[in-house]
Amino acid sequence: MKIISSQDNQFIKLASSLKHKKYRDAQGLFLVEGRRAVAEALDKPELVQAVFQEQGMAEDSSDCSRAEGWADCFMIEPRLMKYICNTEEPQGIAALVKKPVWSWEAVVNQRGMLVLLDRISDPGNLGSILRTCWAFDVGGVLLSPGCVDPFNPKVVRSTMGAILDVPVFSDVSAEQCNNLERAGYQFMSTDIGGGDVYSAVKYRLPLVIIFGSEAWGVSEDLKKRCKIFTYIPMNPQVDSLNVAAACAIIVAEARRQFQAGAEMTDL
């Protein structure tokens, strides 16, 4: 394992620069922090370029040893780990990872369930939604212009590995939405102002479920594409439900219905 002691090292400078979106976009890379996240990244060796381990951690007790032979592995001082990481108290290991590239055509042709997020700006919410979509077999997550960058460090931490497993498409255009409609996808929107109770909706594939931000909701342009509107009944004293929680409730119900339908077909 190579040792880095200088902040001017090219790998250290590169890793630190990835805190900023413009460098993530330019390099096609992002930084994964923490033992669990790095361990999940190492399950996809084709994406991992380098691993940084803090001095003082036993080599044979960390995941860094797994990467030796196919990725650059570095031992660095604690001050350098803090320099490259976005968290105040890093866990002693981080990795440089390539952004996964997903095929739009392949995702569309699966004719499954997709989630479209309209102007979601909170990194924690986006991260939680990606984790939920991974858990409930959502085929892909589509982000409208104005959404937070899915490779923002706070988003990456919140996904707990889902960022590498769920196809994500940023800045989804009106033409891409048209493409989904031509492929037979039905658009459905959450709407606190009306529609059917989420548990009464008959979910049918292929389907796009739209969730808007708490601040603005779903845009009128996207609502015009929808034939189904739904809401989650709740205590009237509560103004709105966190978008990540709403996504989990509705996507879980949709998956339950899909599975029940599949089981009936198998009988």
Side-chain angles (χ1 to χ4, degrees):
M1 190 181 298
K2 304 169 187 174
I3 298 175
I4 297 178
S5 58
S6 172
Q7 190 170 300
D8 293 326
N9 177 275
Q10 61 176 340
F11 283 96
I12 296 296
K13 291 170 71 175
L14 172 60
S16 179
S17 74
L18 299 179
K19 296 172 185 174
H20 305 285
K21 183 179 185 299
K22 67 176 182 179
Y23 295 113
R24 294 194 295 270
D25 290 345
Q27 298 294 333
L29 297 169
F30 66 106
L31 191 74
V32 169
E33 305 176 29
R35 295 179 182 179
R36 181 172 180 176
V38 170
E40 293 191 3
L42 292 176
D43 288 335
K44 296 175 174 58
E46 72 279 5
L47 296 179
V48 178
Q49 284 203 340
V51 179
F52 302 95
Q53 181 177 312
E54 188 175 300
Q55 289 178 346
M57 291 179 64
E59 290 188 33
D60 59 359
S61 67
S62 78
D63 287 300
C64 193
S65 57
R66 289 174 54 192
E68 289 188 294
W70 50 265
D72 289 307
C73 296
F74 303 104
M75 186 77 75
I76 65 176
E77 298 176 5
R79 65 180 178 87
L80 294 180
M81 187 63 73
K82 286 190 174 183
Y83 178 68
I84 67 173
C85 289
N86 192 65
T87 50
E88 292 185 7
E89 298 295 333
Q91 294 180 16
I93 192 164
L96 280 177
V97 181
K98 295 179 185 177
K99 292 183 180 180
V101 178
W102 305 99
S103 166
W104 173 261
E105 290 75 15
V107 169
V108 173
N109 290 340
Q110 286 179 359
R111 297 180 61 78
M113 173 170 54
L114 305 176
V115 164
L116 195 164
L117 302 178
D118 186 23
R119 296 169 293 176
I120 301 298
S121 60
D122 183 87
N125 279 339
L126 178 55
S128 296
I129 289 170
L130 291 176
R131 186 73 175 178
T132 291
C133 290
W134 187 22
F136 294 119
D137 300 319
V138 171
V141 174
L142 318 179
L143 306 180
S144 76
C147 280
V148 63
D149 177 21
F151 297 98
N152 174 296
K154 292 181 180 179
V155 175
V156 173
R157 282 201 307 277
S158 298
T159 70
M160 299 174 67
I163 190 66
L164 299 176
D165 288 276
V166 178
V168 179
F169 300 91
S170 296
D171 297 324
V172 169
S173 66
E175 180 53 35
Q176 285 174 298
C177 290
N178 293 341
N179 176 245
L180 290 168
E181 289 183 325
R182 289 191 292 267
Y185 280 80
Q186 186 169 225
F187 282 68
M188 167 184 166
S189 175
T190 51
D191 188 349
I192 61 173
D196 297 318
V197 175
Y198 80 98
S199 56
V201 172
K202 301 300 182 185
Y203 299 84
R204 298 286 185 267
L205 296 175
L207 176 67
V208 178
I209 307 177
I210 307 175
F211 297 91
S213 70
E214 285 105 339
W216 302 290
V218 177
S219 71
E220 291 303 316
D221 285 343
L222 286 174
K223 283 184 178 181
K224 289 176 183 177
R225 296 182 182 272
C226 298
K227 294 182 172 61
I228 302 172
F229 293 89
T230 188
Y231 70 96
I232 300 169
M234 57 187 177
N235 186 326
Q237 292 181 320
V238 179
D239 290 334
S240 64
L241 194 64
N242 176 279
V243 65
C247 178
I249 291 169
I250 292 175
V251 167
E253 173 61 19
R255 183 174 183 265
R256 185 195 68 78
Q257 290 192 23
F258 299 149
Q259 287 187 321
E263 290 169 1
M264 291 296 294
T265 301
D266 292 338
L267 293 178

